[in-house]
Amino acid sequence: MFAQSISACVRPHVAGYHDISCLKDGLAKVLRNDKYGFINANKEIVVAPTYSSIGYFSEGNAWVSSSDYKYGFINKMGKLVIPLIFDQAGDFSEGLAVVKVNDKTGFISRSGDVVISLQYDNAGDFSEGLAWMKQDDKYGYIDRSGKAVIEPQYEDAWSFSEGLAAVKQNNKVGFIDHTGNMVIPPQYDIAASFKNGMAHVMEQWLWGYIDHNDNAIIPIEYDYLREFSEGLLMVTKNNKQGFLDKVGTIVVPLIYDEANNFSEGLAAVKQNGKWGFIDKVGKTVIPLDYDEVRSFSEDFAAIKLNNKWGFVDKMGKIALEFKYDDATYFYGDLAFVQYEGEWVYIDKQGQVIDSPLLDS
């Protein structure tokens, strides 16, 4: 439901794999013959594709699974440091990872030792020193020693963030502190974790944001909303979209049929079937003349007119003519476009470039 901001996704361009993921921490997952491994940005094999599934690295280790569905962990050298003996495994968080054997869940250390016995029906990652766990169909919280600091009593539970965790009671969601004290009573149908002092909540199909004291920073009256982007929040009410600031003031009126998050100071908006761009006070910077657009990245935005794509700069000047069948975002000095039936890289002058990177 909540749109993510644009972020560069690059991957090594190398033959011989069926799939290559985005680089993360200098490594990209690869798939070959239904087996996964890792390569680095220089296209060198770091972990040979020998595993049936593989996770990303967290705290130095990544979980992997074998063809018989057993899980263990490798380090960044590709060495198996924790044997493939678990039925399931999760990422490391605060030095511990969730593992499961015979439908019972516990936690191991980075050395592979079981430090919290496998006794729970389910459990989540540690956050702020606590992890939720499920036992006998109820949820509670344990500390890193395995002690139940908040006894199982909730219908559902989520991780702690900014000192509070969302829990469900009587089919409603509220928030507790580290001692189990109910700080915000269960009253919401849906609630997310706190971030930057706020959490978005839903009540009777309407959305808003609350603070740690349950004050509605953004009134719970919107049909749809996203996460904040560049200090502004896109909201929908009565099928029209606009933007609010962090205290809930409408800074861009709800007059648009569609709107994207702000990116590099501008947001794409749609009205009467046409797209353009506005600034953070709602001024139209690039006229709503286009059939489709992408958000700004590296000072350029892809725009579509008469079934062809081109690029515009922030002054609204056409920077690259309408000749592409499809176009993505600029990452650095390159964009991935479809031209005359093939996907190629171009620079900001429109020249085709032989690049070692592929973006998503």
Side-chain angles (χ1 to χ4, degrees), residues 162-325:
E162 299 186 359
L164 298 177
V167 295
K168 181 179 282 189
Q169 274 188 335
N170 299 321
N171 209 34
K172 294 292 183 179
V173 181
F175 290 85
I176 60 172
D177 63 18
H178 285 203
T179 67
N181 180 46
M182 189 68 72
V183 176
I184 298 175
Q187 58 191 295
Y188 300 108
D189 300 313
I190 297 174
S193 298
F194 275 92
K195 181 180 179 181
N196 298 320
M198 298 183 292
H200 57 256
V201 296
M202 189 264 277
E203 189 175 19
Q204 296 181 351
W205 300 104
L206 296 176
W207 291 88
Y209 271 80
I210 60 171
D211 65 14
H212 285 222
N213 297 315
D214 200 23
N215 298 313
I217 301 174
I218 306 297
I220 305 170
E221 61 183 44
Y222 295 101
D223 302 321
Y224 173 85
L225 50 73
R226 295 190 181 137
E227 292 184 342
F228 279 89
S229 175
E230 298 189 359
L232 295 180
L233 175 71
M234 195 288 292
V235 297
T236 303
K237 189 173 183 178
N238 299 326
N239 294 318
K240 293 296 181 180
Q241 298 184 340
F243 292 86
L244 312 181
D245 63 17
K246 289 188 175 180
V247 297
T249 302
I250 296 174
V251 294
V252 177
L254 281 68
I255 59 174
Y256 298 103
D257 301 322
E258 292 185 52
N260 293 344
N261 280 346
F262 275 90
S263 176
E264 299 187 355
L266 299 178
V269 293
K270 182 181 181 182
Q271 214 172 35
N272 301 321
K274 292 292 185 179
W275 287 87
F277 290 86
I278 60 170
D279 64 17
K280 290 186 176 182
V281 295
K283 178 184 175 182
T284 300
V285 176
I286 299 173
L288 281 67
D289 294 335
Y290 302 106
D291 300 327
E292 194 174 344
V293 300
R294 313 232 189 268
S295 296
F296 270 91
S297 176
E298 307 288 353
D299 296 322
F300 277 26
I303 53 176
K304 184 179 182 182
L305 187 65
N306 299 326
N307 212 35
K308 289 293 183 181
W309 287 86
F311 286 86
V312 65
D313 66 20
K314 289 184 177 179
M315 302 300 293
K317 178 183 177 182
I318 303 301
L320 296 175
E321 62 180 290
F322 296 95
K323 63 178 182 180
Y324 305 109
D325 299 318

Side-chain angles (χ1 to χ4, degrees), residues 66-121:
S66 59
S67 57
D68 60 352
Y69 304 106
K70 291 297 182 181
Y71 287 74
F73 290 83
I74 58 172
N75 63 18
K76 287 191 173 181
M77 302 299 292
K79 180 182 178 181
L80 189 67
V81 292
I82 298 176
L84 298 157
I85 58 175
F86 304 105
D87 297 333
Q88 290 183 27
D91 295 335
F92 275 94
S93 177
E94 298 187 0
L96 300 177
V98 177
V99 293
K100 180 174 283 191
V101 176
N102 296 328
D103 292 325
K104 288 298 180 182
T105 302
F107 291 83
I108 60 171
S109 66
R110 283 196 291 268
S111 62
D113 297 323
V114 175
V115 294
I116 298 177
S117 62
L118 282 69
Q119 57 185 298
Y120 306 109
D121 300 327

